[in-house]
Amino acid sequence: MGVADLADYPWDAVAPYAATARAHPGGIVDLSIGSPVDPTPAVVAAALADATDAHAYPQTAGTPRLREEIVAWFARRRHVPGLTVDNVLPTIGSKELVALLPLLLGLGPGDTVVHPRAAYPTYEVGARLVGATPVAADDPSQWPEGTRLIWLNSPGNPDGRVLDHEQLRAAVARARQLGAVIAGDECYAELGWDGRWADEPVPSILDPRVTQGDLSGVLSVYSLSKQSNLAGYRAAFLAGDRDLVARLLTARKHLGLMLPAPVQAAAAAALADDAHVAAQKELYRRRRETLRPAVEAAGFRIDGSEGGLYLWATEGRDAWESLGSLAERGILAGPGHFYGTHFPQHVRFSLTATDERIAEAARRLTGS
């Protein structure tokens, strides 16, 4: 399979529902796509502005300061000590890395790429792009021989499921049995909400309690789009196995995959400042506390959603029917059909709308 064989972009199918929602007298409340709406932190914008004299090509490996800030951030925020600058690599957002990792690792026909059952579709796209076989399976015992790459996503998109240290450790052990690379997509890790994750940090796949101090075959992928409102900057990075990072760096040098120099400066500033991340989490906490009871009052059951930016909900009927009913109330959500074949009755509500729009959605859902 090549680029010409990829399916149509799935969000195009939502257009009729969006048109219905936009026709609502009070306007649309768009809870479909998790694109940040809050301002970029001033400390980050200032760093970007100060770095606009970018006359030279940027470093694919990242500036020394950016790499050092990534290392320090993993130790401080993700409880992953002992990394060096050779363990980390900036990327142009995380989506391109997710889509290109099978290619960069040399996968092809006959290889298998495993991803979660409720999954961001780019995991499958990356596999199909190189002719590999995507397999949706959450249970490590179901990961087949011939698996070369395993994607975990915790907290998950769309389902908000959080994997604990024991689950991550079992996944890494199985990956090593198979001789596969295992990559944890962790871009919502600062957004834990329920149960133990209300007080305890969401664990990283690189945590020594998971890896036993051995990073071989293990990668973590992270994005600043969510915690720092930098979606438009395309600022992300990966970390883990030093040899894998070196291989990926070489490939990315050949392909010209360089994070722009001003964005590297902005990313370093964002990683060094925890205050804006805490403030942003509180914004999402308040929005979640407004939206969740309204969704439940409207007849939906919320599953998972322990962390992340979404409510994963079902009212026991096909997601397209739910989407139509919501659109009549001027609310647009994401259908579970977009996240694999296993959850056709679920919809995804995003918390990335303004306080006013979240409050309006709650009002419409409860009829108040």
Short mmCIF file of all heavy atoms in Angstrom, two decimals, residues 140-207:
data_model
loop_
_atom_site.label_atom_id
_atom_site.label_comp_id
_atom_site.label_asym_id
_atom_site.label_seq_id
_atom_site.Cartn_x
_atom_site.Cartn_y
_atom_site.Cartn_z
N PRO A 140 -1.31 -8.09 25.83
CA PRO A 140 -0.01 -8.51 25.29
C PRO A 140 0.04 -9.97 24.85
O PRO A 140 0.78 -10.30 23.92
CB PRO A 140 0.95 -8.24 26.45
CG PRO A 140 0.32 -7.12 27.21
CD PRO A 140 -1.16 -7.39 27.13
N SER A 141 -0.75 -10.84 25.48
CA SER A 141 -0.72 -12.25 25.09
C SER A 141 -1.29 -12.46 23.70
O SER A 141 -1.06 -13.51 23.08
CB SER A 141 -1.50 -13.10 26.10
OG SER A 141 -2.89 -12.82 26.05
N GLN A 142 -2.02 -11.47 23.18
CA GLN A 142 -2.61 -11.56 21.84
C GLN A 142 -1.74 -10.92 20.76
O GLN A 142 -2.10 -10.94 19.59
CB GLN A 142 -3.99 -10.91 21.84
CG GLN A 142 -5.00 -11.61 22.74
CD GLN A 142 -6.35 -10.91 22.76
OE1 GLN A 142 -6.53 -9.84 22.17
NE2 GLN A 142 -7.31 -11.50 23.45
N TRP A 143 -0.59 -10.36 21.15
CA TRP A 143 0.28 -9.76 20.16
C TRP A 143 1.00 -10.88 19.41
O TRP A 143 1.68 -11.71 20.02
CB TRP A 143 1.28 -8.82 20.83
CG TRP A 143 0.61 -7.67 21.54
CD1 TRP A 143 -0.68 -7.25 21.39
CD2 TRP A 143 1.20 -6.80 22.51
NE1 TRP A 143 -0.94 -6.17 22.21
CE2 TRP A 143 0.20 -5.86 22.90
CE3 TRP A 143 2.46 -6.71 23.07
CZ2 TRP A 143 0.44 -4.86 23.84
CZ3 TRP A 143 2.71 -5.72 24.01
CH2 TRP A 143 1.71 -4.80 24.39
N PRO A 144 0.89 -10.91 18.09
CA PRO A 144 1.34 -12.08 17.33
C PRO A 144 2.84 -12.09 17.06
O PRO A 144 3.52 -11.06 17.09
CB PRO A 144 0.55 -11.96 16.03
CG PRO A 144 0.35 -10.49 15.85
CD PRO A 144 0.16 -9.94 17.24
N GLU A 145 3.33 -13.28 16.78
CA GLU A 145 4.69 -13.40 16.24
C GLU A 145 4.77 -12.60 14.95
O GLU A 145 3.80 -12.50 14.20
CB GLU A 145 5.03 -14.87 15.97
CG GLU A 145 5.05 -15.75 17.20
CD GLU A 145 6.17 -15.39 18.17
OE1 GLU A 145 7.22 -14.90 17.71
OE2 GLU A 145 5.97 -15.60 19.38
N GLY A 146 5.92 -12.04 14.67
CA GLY A 146 6.06 -11.18 13.50
C GLY A 146 5.79 -9.72 13.80
O GLY A 146 5.94 -8.86 12.93
N THR A 147 5.40 -9.42 15.06
CA THR A 147 5.21 -8.02 15.46
C THR A 147 6.56 -7.34 15.56
O THR A 147 7.47 -7.83 16.23
CB THR A 147 4.47 -7.94 16.80
OG1 THR A 147 3.16 -8.51 16.66
CG2 THR A 147 4.34 -6.50 17.26
N ARG A 148 6.67 -6.21 14.88
CA ARG A 148 7.93 -5.45 14.89
C ARG A 148 7.83 -4.12 15.63
O ARG A 148 8.83 -3.57 16.07
CB ARG A 148 8.37 -5.17 13.44
CG ARG A 148 8.71 -6.40 12.63
CD ARG A 148 10.11 -6.90 12.90
NE ARG A 148 11.10 -5.84 12.75
CZ ARG A 148 11.57 -5.37 11.57
NH1 ARG A 148 11.10 -5.88 10.43
NH2 ARG A 148 12.48 -4.42 11.55
N LEU A 149 6.59 -3.62 15.76
CA LEU A 149 6.37 -2.35 16.44
C LEU A 149 5.06 -2.43 17.20
O LEU A 149 4.05 -2.89 16.67
CB LEU A 149 6.32 -1.19 15.43
CG LEU A 149 5.91 0.19 15.98
CD1 LEU A 149 6.92 0.69 17.01
CD2 LEU A 149 5.79 1.20 14.83
N ILE A 150 5.08 -1.98 18.46
CA ILE A 150 3.89 -1.94 19.31
C ILE A 150 3.69 -0.51 19.78
O ILE A 150 4.61 0.13 20.31
CB ILE A 150 4.06 -2.86 20.53
CG1 ILE A 150 4.23 -4.32 20.08
CG2 ILE A 150 2.87 -2.73 21.49
CD1 ILE A 150 4.91 -5.19 21.11
N TRP A 151 2.47 -0.01 19.58
CA TRP A 151 2.10 1.31 20.09
C TRP A 151 1.23 1.15 21.33
O TRP A 151 0.23 0.44 21.32
CB TRP A 151 1.30 2.08 19.04
CG TRP A 151 2.11 2.70 17.96
CD1 TRP A 151 2.20 2.31 16.65
CD2 TRP A 151 2.95 3.86 18.09
NE1 TRP A 151 3.05 3.14 15.96
CE2 TRP A 151 3.52 4.11 16.81
CE3 TRP A 151 3.28 4.71 19.15
CZ2 TRP A 151 4.39 5.17 16.58
CZ3 TRP A 151 4.16 5.76 18.92
CH2 TRP A 151 4.69 5.99 17.64
N LEU A 152 1.62 1.82 22.40
CA LEU A 152 0.75 2.03 23.55
C LEU A 152 0.36 3.51 23.56
O LEU A 152 1.07 4.35 23.02
CB LEU A 152 1.46 1.68 24.85
CG LEU A 152 2.03 0.26 24.98
CD1 LEU A 152 2.67 0.09 26.36
CD2 LEU A 152 0.95 -0.79 24.77
N ASN A 153 -0.78 3.80 24.20
CA ASN A 153 -1.23 5.19 24.30
C ASN A 153 -1.86 5.37 25.68
O ASN A 153 -2.94 4.84 25.92
CB ASN A 153 -2.23 5.49 23.19
CG ASN A 153 -2.69 6.94 23.14
OD1 ASN A 153 -3.75 7.23 22.61
ND2 ASN A 153 -1.90 7.85 23.67
N SER A 154 -1.16 6.08 26.55
CA SER A 154 -1.64 6.24 27.92
C SER A 154 -1.27 7.62 28.44
O SER A 154 -0.08 7.96 28.47
CB SER A 154 -1.02 5.16 28.82
OG SER A 154 -1.37 5.34 30.16
N PRO A 155 -2.27 8.42 28.84
CA PRO A 155 -3.71 8.23 28.70
C PRO A 155 -4.12 8.13 27.24
O PRO A 155 -3.55 8.78 26.37
CB PRO A 155 -4.32 9.46 29.35
CG PRO A 155 -3.27 9.98 30.29
CD PRO A 155 -1.97 9.67 29.59
N GLY A 156 -5.14 7.32 27.00
CA GLY A 156 -5.50 7.00 25.63
C GLY A 156 -6.34 8.07 24.96
O GLY A 156 -7.10 8.79 25.59
N ASN A 157 -6.18 8.15 23.67
CA ASN A 157 -7.06 8.91 22.79
C ASN A 157 -7.71 7.89 21.86
O ASN A 157 -7.01 7.24 21.09
CB ASN A 157 -6.26 9.92 21.97
CG ASN A 157 -7.09 10.63 20.91
OD1 ASN A 157 -8.31 10.57 20.91
ND2 ASN A 157 -6.42 11.30 19.99
N PRO A 158 -9.03 7.68 21.99
CA PRO A 158 -10.05 8.54 22.58
C PRO A 158 -10.52 8.16 23.98
O PRO A 158 -11.29 8.90 24.58
CB PRO A 158 -11.21 8.32 21.61
CG PRO A 158 -11.09 6.87 21.26
CD PRO A 158 -9.61 6.60 21.16
N ASP A 159 -10.09 7.01 24.52
CA ASP A 159 -10.80 6.44 25.66
C ASP A 159 -10.30 6.87 27.03
O ASP A 159 -10.90 6.53 28.04
CB ASP A 159 -10.81 4.92 25.57
CG ASP A 159 -9.41 4.32 25.60
OD1 ASP A 159 -8.42 5.07 25.56
OD2 ASP A 159 -9.31 3.07 25.65
N GLY A 160 -9.19 7.61 27.09
CA GLY A 160 -8.70 8.10 28.38
C GLY A 160 -8.23 7.02 29.32
O GLY A 160 -8.08 7.25 30.53
N ARG A 161 -7.94 5.82 28.80
CA ARG A 161 -7.48 4.73 29.65
C ARG A 161 -6.02 4.97 30.05
O ARG A 161 -5.20 5.35 29.23
CB ARG A 161 -7.59 3.40 28.89
CG ARG A 161 -7.25 2.17 29.73
CD ARG A 161 -7.57 0.90 28.97
NE ARG A 161 -6.67 0.72 27.85
CZ ARG A 161 -5.91 -0.38 27.68
NH1 ARG A 161 -5.95 -1.35 28.55
NH2 ARG A 161 -5.14 -0.49 26.63
N VAL A 162 -5.71 4.75 31.33
CA VAL A 162 -4.36 4.92 31.84
C VAL A 162 -3.78 3.55 32.19
O VAL A 162 -4.42 2.76 32.87
CB VAL A 162 -4.34 5.84 33.08
CG1 VAL A 162 -2.92 5.93 33.65
CG2 VAL A 162 -4.85 7.23 32.71
N LEU A 163 -2.57 3.29 31.71
CA LEU A 163 -1.87 2.04 32.02
C LEU A 163 -0.97 2.26 33.23
O LEU A 163 -0.18 3.22 33.26
CB LEU A 163 -1.03 1.60 30.82
CG LEU A 163 -1.80 1.36 29.51
CD1 LEU A 163 -0.83 1.01 28.39
CD2 LEU A 163 -2.85 0.27 29.67
N ASP A 164 -1.07 1.37 34.22
CA ASP A 164 -0.23 1.51 35.41
C ASP A 164 1.13 0.87 35.17
O ASP A 164 1.41 0.31 34.10
CB ASP A 164 -0.93 0.94 36.64
CG ASP A 164 -1.23 -0.56 36.54
OD1 ASP A 164 -0.54 -1.28 35.78
OD2 ASP A 164 -2.16 -1.02 37.24
N HIS A 165 1.99 0.94 36.18
CA HIS A 165 3.36 0.43 36.02
C HIS A 165 3.37 -1.05 35.68
O HIS A 165 4.16 -1.51 34.85
CB HIS A 165 4.16 0.68 37.30
CG HIS A 165 4.40 2.11 37.61
ND1 HIS A 165 3.56 2.84 38.42
CD2 HIS A 165 5.37 2.96 37.21
CE1 HIS A 165 4.02 4.08 38.52
NE2 HIS A 165 5.11 4.19 37.80
N GLU A 166 2.48 -1.82 36.32
CA GLU A 166 2.46 -3.26 36.09
C GLU A 166 2.04 -3.58 34.65
O GLU A 166 2.63 -4.46 34.01
CB GLU A 166 1.50 -3.93 37.08
CG GLU A 166 1.97 -3.90 38.52
CD GLU A 166 1.85 -2.52 39.17
OE1 GLU A 166 1.04 -1.70 38.70
OE2 GLU A 166 2.57 -2.26 40.15
N GLN A 167 1.05 -2.87 34.15
CA GLN A 167 0.61 -3.10 32.77
C GLN A 167 1.70 -2.70 31.78
O GLN A 167 1.94 -3.41 30.78
CB GLN A 167 -0.67 -2.31 32.51
CG GLN A 167 -1.88 -2.86 33.24
CD GLN A 167 -3.07 -1.92 33.17
OE1 GLN A 167 -2.97 -0.73 33.48
NE2 GLN A 167 -4.20 -2.44 32.73
N LEU A 168 2.36 -1.59 32.03
CA LEU A 168 3.45 -1.17 31.15
C LEU A 168 4.60 -2.17 31.19
O LEU A 168 5.19 -2.50 30.16
CB LEU A 168 3.93 0.22 31.55
CG LEU A 168 2.97 1.38 31.30
CD1 LEU A 168 3.50 2.65 31.94
CD2 LEU A 168 2.77 1.60 29.80
N ARG A 169 4.91 -2.66 32.38
CA ARG A 169 6.02 -3.62 32.52
C ARG A 169 5.72 -4.90 31.76
O ARG A 169 6.59 -5.46 31.08
CB ARG A 169 6.28 -3.90 34.00
CG ARG A 169 7.51 -4.74 34.26
CD ARG A 169 8.00 -4.61 35.70
NE ARG A 169 6.95 -4.90 36.67
CZ ARG A 169 6.47 -4.00 37.53
NH1 ARG A 169 6.92 -2.75 37.54
NH2 ARG A 169 5.52 -4.34 38.39
N ALA A 170 4.47 -5.38 31.85
CA ALA A 170 4.09 -6.59 31.13
C ALA A 170 4.16 -6.37 29.61
O ALA A 170 4.57 -7.26 28.86
CB ALA A 170 2.68 -7.02 31.53
N ALA A 171 3.79 -5.17 29.17
CA ALA A 171 3.84 -4.87 27.75
C ALA A 171 5.28 -4.85 27.25
O ALA A 171 5.59 -5.38 26.17
CB ALA A 171 3.15 -3.54 27.47
N VAL A 172 6.16 -4.22 28.01
CA VAL A 172 7.58 -4.17 27.61
C VAL A 172 8.17 -5.57 27.58
O VAL A 172 8.93 -5.94 26.66
CB VAL A 172 8.36 -3.24 28.55
CG1 VAL A 172 9.88 -3.39 28.33
CG2 VAL A 172 7.94 -1.79 28.35
N ALA A 173 7.83 -6.40 28.57
CA ALA A 173 8.35 -7.78 28.60
C ALA A 173 7.90 -8.56 27.38
O ALA A 173 8.69 -9.30 26.76
CB ALA A 173 7.90 -8.47 29.88
N ARG A 174 6.63 -8.41 27.00
CA ARG A 174 6.13 -9.12 25.82
C ARG A 174 6.80 -8.61 24.55
O ARG A 174 7.14 -9.39 23.65
CB ARG A 174 4.61 -8.97 25.74
CG ARG A 174 3.97 -9.58 24.50
CD ARG A 174 4.23 -11.07 24.40
NE ARG A 174 3.51 -11.65 23.26
CZ ARG A 174 3.84 -12.79 22.67
NH1 ARG A 174 4.87 -13.50 23.12
NH2 ARG A 174 3.13 -13.25 21.66
N ALA A 175 7.00 -7.30 24.45
CA ALA A 175 7.67 -6.74 23.28
C ALA A 175 9.07 -7.34 23.12
O ALA A 175 9.50 -7.66 22.01
CB ALA A 175 7.74 -5.22 23.39
N ARG A 176 9.74 -7.53 24.24
CA ARG A 176 11.09 -8.08 24.17
C ARG A 176 11.07 -9.55 23.79
O ARG A 176 11.98 -10.03 23.09
CB ARG A 176 11.80 -7.84 25.51
CG ARG A 176 12.16 -6.36 25.67
CD ARG A 176 12.78 -6.02 26.99
NE ARG A 176 13.25 -4.62 26.96
CZ ARG A 176 13.50 -3.87 28.03
NH1 ARG A 176 13.32 -4.39 29.24
NH2 ARG A 176 13.92 -2.64 27.89
N GLN A 177 10.04 -10.27 24.21
CA GLN A 177 9.90 -11.66 23.75
C GLN A 177 9.76 -11.72 22.24
O GLN A 177 10.28 -12.62 21.58
CB GLN A 177 8.67 -12.30 24.40
CG GLN A 177 8.81 -12.63 25.86
CD GLN A 177 7.52 -13.24 26.41
OE1 GLN A 177 6.47 -13.16 25.80
NE2 GLN A 177 7.62 -13.83 27.60
N LEU A 178 9.03 -10.75 21.68
CA LEU A 178 8.75 -10.73 20.25
C LEU A 178 9.89 -10.09 19.45
O LEU A 178 9.89 -10.17 18.22
CB LEU A 178 7.46 -9.94 19.98
CG LEU A 178 6.17 -10.56 20.52
CD1 LEU A 178 5.03 -9.55 20.47
CD2 LEU A 178 5.81 -11.82 19.72
N GLY A 179 10.83 -9.44 20.13
CA GLY A 179 11.88 -8.70 19.42
C GLY A 179 11.36 -7.45 18.75
O GLY A 179 11.88 -7.01 17.73
N ALA A 180 10.31 -6.85 19.35
CA ALA A 180 9.66 -5.68 18.76
C ALA A 180 10.07 -4.40 19.49
O ALA A 180 10.38 -4.42 20.69
CB ALA A 180 8.14 -5.83 18.84
N VAL A 181 10.04 -3.30 18.77
CA VAL A 181 10.14 -1.98 19.38
C VAL A 181 8.79 -1.66 20.00
O VAL A 181 7.74 -1.94 19.41
CB VAL A 181 10.52 -0.91 18.33
CG1 VAL A 181 10.43 0.50 18.93
CG2 VAL A 181 11.91 -1.18 17.77
N ILE A 182 8.78 -1.08 21.19
CA ILE A 182 7.54 -0.66 21.82
C ILE A 182 7.62 0.84 22.10
O ILE A 182 8.61 1.34 22.64
CB ILE A 182 7.24 -1.46 23.11
CG1 ILE A 182 5.85 -1.09 23.65
CG2 ILE A 182 8.32 -1.31 24.15
CD1 ILE A 182 5.33 -2.06 24.70
N ALA A 183 6.59 1.56 21.66
CA ALA A 183 6.57 3.02 21.76
C ALA A 183 5.34 3.46 22.55
O ALA A 183 4.22 3.06 22.22
CB ALA A 183 6.55 3.65 20.36
N GLY A 184 5.55 4.24 23.58
CA GLY A 184 4.45 4.79 24.37
C GLY A 184 4.13 6.20 23.92
O GLY A 184 4.97 7.09 24.02
N ASP A 185 2.93 6.40 23.40
CA ASP A 185 2.44 7.73 23.04
C ASP A 185 1.84 8.32 24.31
O ASP A 185 0.77 7.90 24.76
CB ASP A 185 1.40 7.59 21.93
CG ASP A 185 0.87 8.93 21.43
OD1 ASP A 185 1.11 9.96 22.11
OD2 ASP A 185 0.19 8.95 20.39
N GLU A 186 2.52 9.32 24.89
CA GLU A 186 2.20 9.77 26.24
C GLU A 186 1.82 11.25 26.31
O GLU A 186 1.95 11.89 27.35
CB GLU A 186 3.40 9.50 27.15
CG GLU A 186 3.80 8.03 27.18
CD GLU A 186 4.99 7.70 28.08
OE1 GLU A 186 5.74 8.63 28.45
OE2 GLU A 186 5.16 6.52 28.40
N CYS A 187 1.29 11.79 25.22
CA CYS A 187 1.16 13.25 25.13
C CYS A 187 0.10 13.84 26.06
O CYS A 187 0.04 15.04 26.22
CB CYS A 187 0.92 13.67 23.68
SG CYS A 187 -0.67 13.20 23.00
N TYR A 188 -0.73 12.99 26.69
CA TYR A 188 -1.72 13.49 27.65
C TYR A 188 -1.31 13.21 29.10
O TYR A 188 -2.14 13.29 30.01
CB TYR A 188 -3.09 12.84 27.38
CG TYR A 188 -3.63 13.08 25.99
CD1 TYR A 188 -3.46 12.13 24.99
CD2 TYR A 188 -4.30 14.26 25.67
CE1 TYR A 188 -3.95 12.35 23.71
CE2 TYR A 188 -4.79 14.48 24.39
CZ TYR A 188 -4.61 13.52 23.42
OH TYR A 188 -5.09 13.74 22.15
N ALA A 189 -0.05 12.90 29.32
CA ALA A 189 0.37 12.38 30.62
C ALA A 189 0.20 13.37 31.77
O ALA A 189 0.09 12.96 32.93
CB ALA A 189 1.83 11.92 30.55
N GLU A 190 0.19 14.66 31.50
CA GLU A 190 0.00 15.63 32.57
C GLU A 190 -1.47 15.76 32.98
O GLU A 190 -1.79 16.48 33.92
CB GLU A 190 0.53 17.01 32.14
CG GLU A 190 2.04 17.09 32.01
CD GLU A 190 2.75 17.33 33.34
OE1 GLU A 190 2.08 17.29 34.39
OE2 GLU A 190 3.98 17.54 33.32
N LEU A 191 -2.36 15.06 32.27
CA LEU A 191 -3.79 15.24 32.49
C LEU A 191 -4.42 13.98 33.07
O LEU A 191 -5.20 13.28 32.43
CB LEU A 191 -4.47 15.63 31.17
CG LEU A 191 -3.93 16.90 30.51
CD1 LEU A 191 -4.56 17.10 29.13
CD2 LEU A 191 -4.14 18.11 31.39
N GLY A 192 -4.07 13.65 34.31
CA GLY A 192 -4.70 12.55 35.02
C GLY A 192 -5.83 13.09 35.88
O GLY A 192 -5.71 14.15 36.51
N TRP A 193 -6.95 12.35 35.93
CA TRP A 193 -8.15 12.88 36.59
C TRP A 193 -8.71 11.98 37.69
O TRP A 193 -9.00 12.44 38.78
CB TRP A 193 -9.26 13.14 35.56
CG TRP A 193 -8.88 14.00 34.42
CD1 TRP A 193 -8.87 13.66 33.10
CD2 TRP A 193 -8.45 15.37 34.46
NE1 TRP A 193 -8.47 14.72 32.32
CE2 TRP A 193 -8.21 15.78 33.13
CE3 TRP A 193 -8.25 16.28 35.50
CZ2 TRP A 193 -7.78 17.07 32.80
CZ3 TRP A 193 -7.82 17.56 35.18
CH2 TRP A 193 -7.59 17.94 33.85
N ASP A 194 -8.95 10.73 37.39
CA ASP A 194 -9.77 9.88 38.26
C ASP A 194 -8.96 8.83 39.00
O ASP A 194 -7.87 8.43 38.56
CB ASP A 194 -10.84 9.16 37.43
CG ASP A 194 -11.90 10.10 36.89
OD1 ASP A 194 -12.02 11.23 37.43
OD2 ASP A 194 -12.61 9.71 35.96
N GLY A 195 -9.53 8.34 40.12
CA GLY A 195 -8.89 7.28 40.87
C GLY A 195 -7.51 7.69 41.35
O GLY A 195 -7.30 8.81 41.80
N ARG A 196 -6.58 6.78 41.25
CA ARG A 196 -5.22 7.05 41.72
C ARG A 196 -4.56 8.17 40.93
O ARG A 196 -3.65 8.84 41.42
CB ARG A 196 -4.38 5.78 41.68
CG ARG A 196 -4.19 5.22 40.29
CD ARG A 196 -3.54 3.85 40.29
NE ARG A 196 -2.12 3.90 40.63
CZ ARG A 196 -1.29 2.87 40.48
NH1 ARG A 196 -1.77 1.70 40.05
NH2 ARG A 196 -0.02 2.99 40.80
N TRP A 197 -5.05 8.38 39.69
CA TRP A 197 -4.42 9.37 38.83
C TRP A 197 -4.84 10.79 39.17
O TRP A 197 -4.33 11.75 38.59
CB TRP A 197 -4.70 9.05 37.36
CG TRP A 197 -4.48 7.60 37.07
CD1 TRP A 197 -5.39 6.71 36.60
CD2 TRP A 197 -3.27 6.87 37.27
NE1 TRP A 197 -4.83 5.46 36.49
CE2 TRP A 197 -3.53 5.53 36.89
CE3 TRP A 197 -1.99 7.21 37.73
CZ2 TRP A 197 -2.56 4.54 36.97
CZ3 TRP A 197 -1.03 6.21 37.80
CH2 TRP A 197 -1.31 4.90 37.43
N ALA A 198 -5.77 10.93 40.11
CA ALA A 198 -6.10 12.27 40.60
C ALA A 198 -4.96 12.85 41.43
O ALA A 198 -4.80 14.07 41.52
CB ALA A 198 -7.38 12.21 41.44
N ASP A 199 -4.16 11.96 42.04
CA ASP A 199 -3.06 12.42 42.90
C ASP A 199 -1.70 11.92 42.46
O ASP A 199 -0.68 12.52 42.81
CB ASP A 199 -3.32 11.94 44.34
CG ASP A 199 -4.67 12.41 44.87
OD1 ASP A 199 -4.91 13.62 44.87
OD2 ASP A 199 -5.47 11.55 45.26
N GLU A 200 -1.68 10.84 41.73
CA GLU A 200 -0.42 10.19 41.36
C GLU A 200 -0.10 10.47 39.89
O GLU A 200 -0.99 10.43 39.05
CB GLU A 200 -0.57 8.68 41.57
CG GLU A 200 0.68 7.87 41.31
CD GLU A 200 0.43 6.39 41.57
OE1 GLU A 200 -0.52 6.06 42.30
OE2 GLU A 200 1.20 5.56 41.03
N PRO A 201 1.17 10.78 39.57
CA PRO A 201 1.51 11.03 38.17
C PRO A 201 1.25 9.81 37.29
O PRO A 201 1.49 8.67 37.70
CB PRO A 201 3.01 11.36 38.22
CG PRO A 201 3.28 11.77 39.63
CD PRO A 201 2.32 10.99 40.47
N VAL A 202 0.76 10.05 36.09
CA VAL A 202 0.60 8.98 35.10
C VAL A 202 1.99 8.45 34.76
O VAL A 202 2.90 9.23 34.43
CB VAL A 202 -0.12 9.51 33.85
CG1 VAL A 202 -0.09 8.47 32.74
CG2 VAL A 202 -1.54 9.92 34.19
N PRO A 203 2.22 7.14 34.83
CA PRO A 203 3.57 6.62 34.62
C PRO A 203 4.01 6.64 33.15
O PRO A 203 3.19 6.52 32.24
CB PRO A 203 3.49 5.19 35.13
CG PRO A 203 2.05 4.83 35.07
CD PRO A 203 1.29 6.10 35.28
N SER A 204 5.30 6.78 32.97
CA SER A 204 5.90 6.72 31.64
C SER A 204 6.41 5.32 31.36
O SER A 204 6.83 4.59 32.26
CB SER A 204 7.07 7.71 31.54
OG SER A 204 7.77 7.52 30.32
N ILE A 205 6.40 4.96 30.09
CA ILE A 205 6.96 3.67 29.68
C ILE A 205 8.47 3.61 29.94
O ILE A 205 9.05 2.53 30.03
CB ILE A 205 6.65 3.39 28.19
CG1 ILE A 205 6.86 1.92 27.87
CG2 ILE A 205 7.47 4.30 27.28
CD1 ILE A 205 6.35 1.53 26.49
N LEU A 206 9.11 4.77 30.13
CA LEU A 206 10.55 4.82 30.40
C LEU A 206 10.87 4.76 31.89
O LEU A 206 12.05 4.74 32.27
CB LEU A 206 11.17 6.09 29.81
CG LEU A 206 11.03 6.30 28.31
CD1 LEU A 206 11.76 7.57 27.89
CD2 LEU A 206 11.54 5.10 27.52
N ASP A 207 9.85 4.75 32.74
CA ASP A 207 10.07 4.73 34.19
C ASP A 207 10.90 3.49 34.55
O ASP A 207 10.64 2.39 34.05
CB ASP A 207 8.71 4.67 34.89
CG ASP A 207 8.79 4.90 36.39
OD1 ASP A 207 9.54 4.15 37.06
OD2 ASP A 207 8.11 5.81 36.88
#
